[in-house]
Amino acid sequence: MGTRISDRIAAIAESATLAVDAKAKAFKAAGRPVIGFGVGEPDFPTPDYIVDAAVAAAKDPRYHRYSPVAGLPELRAAIAEKTLRDSGYAVSPSQVLVTNGGKQAVYNTFAALLDPGDEVLLVAPYWTTYPEVIQLAGGVPVPVLTDETSGYLVTVEQLEAARTEHTKVLLFVSPSNPSGAVYPPEQVAAVGRWAAERGLWVVTDEIYEHLVYDGRQNVSIAAVTPELGDRVVVVNGVAKTYAMTGWRVGWLIGPADLVRAATNLQSHATSNVANVSQAAAVAALTGDLSAVATMRAAFDRRRRTMVRMLSEIDGVRCPEPGGAFYAYPQVKGLLGRPLRGRTATDTVELAELILEEAEVAVVPGEAFGTPGYLRLSYALGDDDLAEGVGRIQRLVAEG
Ligand SMILES: Cc1ncc(COP(=O)(O)O)c(C=O)c1O
């Protein structure tokens, strides 16, 4: 008789971001005025024209039945068109698998690609879900460490140093969660060329593609590296671009064999994504990008406030993020220092201390493979944002 829970599943770590959120919510429920920088979701409602399309779909019996596992044909076509419009990357609708959020696209991709022992290069700090999913698939996550001195950008030399004969995949994420790093086009091309020359697969997570600031243009590594041929998978979704985190629509785009394998997996796991959500996604993707432009302007303003206020704190170093909606300051100067009579020795303890003493929720860098940092989402209202960072400022100033 083995253990009650399988070793494979028991090894999954609790999502640190959700854990912070749960603790912050418990504080709130107890009447404490917590300001949450923990979760990564836009504070805006989903635009009306998208919601209206969902309401119409809900009233149409056509949408009340099972539909094709890989997605509604009109949504797969809209995704192919949108990919050409936004990335200049030409794909056919048959290369698209619609998934329950970008998260299931990540899961399906690695489940379909990895055999035991296959290594995946991932740039640290990384989104907390990636290593768990890679390990679940039997793969080995190989973090390649970056820090604030390079703006959290990895170089080809670093990737080459981490590559072994077991390396199968490079996971490329720009803009990045948690660092907000956006790769300049020439660096995207250099990384793509390197991966193609080495015969690696590239999985590119482009979920924050439209959230880039200061006139930056996000480029897709799939589009600029045709040499990757049939070894590239694009992961994307509507969650961050259209304030649709709760609707659960994402997708992967890949070569025929990968899409077939991932669709077979999904057919036994979850079948089609909810049709009403898919209809909403069709409206989102066939509409224009004006709603995201409005949100981007608000995020940009909040980004500047947050970076300015964090940089005023002694012991905090905060590079300006070029994309997404996270700041990722290095806070090693706050460790081992008394704050309201308490001392944190690592950033897990520091995040706890900040929550308990300043009633502000932040996520420790340990969740992203880089202790010594904190992640703060700036996808919340301007006043709350200023008040929240102000509380951290006062906590540190008091000593
Ligand atoms: C980098 C990255 N990829 C994918 C996702 C998945 O988003 P969803 O499953 O909500 O579409 C997230 C969400 O936080 C993310 O940060």
Side-chain angles (χ1 to χ4, degrees), residues 101-103 127 130 173 177 205 207-208 239-240 245 248-249 326:
K103 208 171 246 185
W127 183 39
Y130 297 138
V173 189
N177 171 11
D205 185 338
I207 203 146
Y208 294 100
K240 318 286 177 175
T245 46
R248 312 309 305 140
V249 182
Y326 309 100

Side-chain angles (χ1 to χ4, degrees), residues 97 104-115 118 133-134 136-138 168-169 201 203 233 252 255-266:
L97 168 61
Q104 195 186 20
V106 172
Y107 181 87
N108 284 350
T109 299
F110 285 113
L113 274 182
L114 299 180
D115 277 316
D118 286 342
V133 166
I134 291 164
L136 251 182
K168 181 167 185 184
V169 184
W201 283 76
V203 175
V233 182
L252 64 86
D257 53 351
L258 182 280
V259 171
R260 200 177 318 118
T263 306
N264 283 344
L265 168 63
Q266 184 163 304

Side-chain angles (χ1 to χ4, degrees), residues 17 39-41 99-106 126-130 173-178 205-208 235-240 244-251 324-326 375:
T17 47
V39 287
E41 60 181 340
T99 57
N100 280 279
K103 208 171 246 185
Q104 195 186 20
V106 172
Y126 46 70
W127 183 39
T128 191
T129 289
Y130 297 138
V173 189
S174 178
S176 154
N177 171 11
D205 185 338
E206 304 183 350
I207 203 146
Y208 294 100
V235 170
N236 206 332
V238 293
K240 318 286 177 175
M244 291 179 71
T245 46
W247 297 79
R248 312 309 305 140
V249 182
W251 56 85
F325 38 58
Y326 309 100
R375 189 191 76 173

Side-chain angles (χ1 to χ4, degrees), residues 172-322:
F172 189 75
V173 189
S174 178
S176 154
N177 171 11
S179 72
V182 179
Y183 282 77
E186 58 285 1
Q187 205 162 339
V188 176
V191 170
R193 231 174 9 249
W194 169 82
E197 280 164 9
R198 298 295 182 274
L200 303 181
W201 283 76
V202 173
V203 175
T204 167
D205 185 338
E206 304 183 350
I207 203 146
Y208 294 100
E209 65 182 333
H210 289 292
L211 296 175
V212 289
Y213 310 107
D214 298 328
R216 282 182 182 80
Q217 189 68 36
N218 195 50
V219 297
S220 167
I221 194 168
V224 299
T225 323
E227 310 92 284
L228 285 168
D230 62 358
R231 286 191 314 274
V232 63
V233 182
V234 178
V235 170
N236 206 332
V238 293
K240 318 286 177 175
T241 303
Y242 303 97
M244 291 179 71
T245 46
W247 297 79
R248 312 309 305 140
V249 182
W251 56 85
L252 64 86
I253 302 172
D257 53 351
L258 182 280
V259 171
R260 200 177 318 118
T263 306
N264 283 344
L265 168 63
Q266 184 163 304
S267 76
H268 294 293
T270 55
S271 296
N272 64 276
V273 172
N275 293 328
V276 170
S277 288
Q278 291 197 65
V282 171
L285 297 179
T286 54
D288 65 19
L289 292 166
S290 54
V292 65
T294 307
M295 288 191 274
R296 184 170 50 234
F299 292 146
D300 188 17
R301 190 177 63 239
R302 298 165 185 179
R303 173 182 75 115
R304 290 164 196 279
T305 308
M306 180 172 268
V307 171
R308 179 177 50 74
M309 291 184 71
L310 286 172
S311 301
E312 286 165 6
I313 303 175
D314 176 37
V316 173
R317 293 230 301 267
C318 188
E320 196 167 79

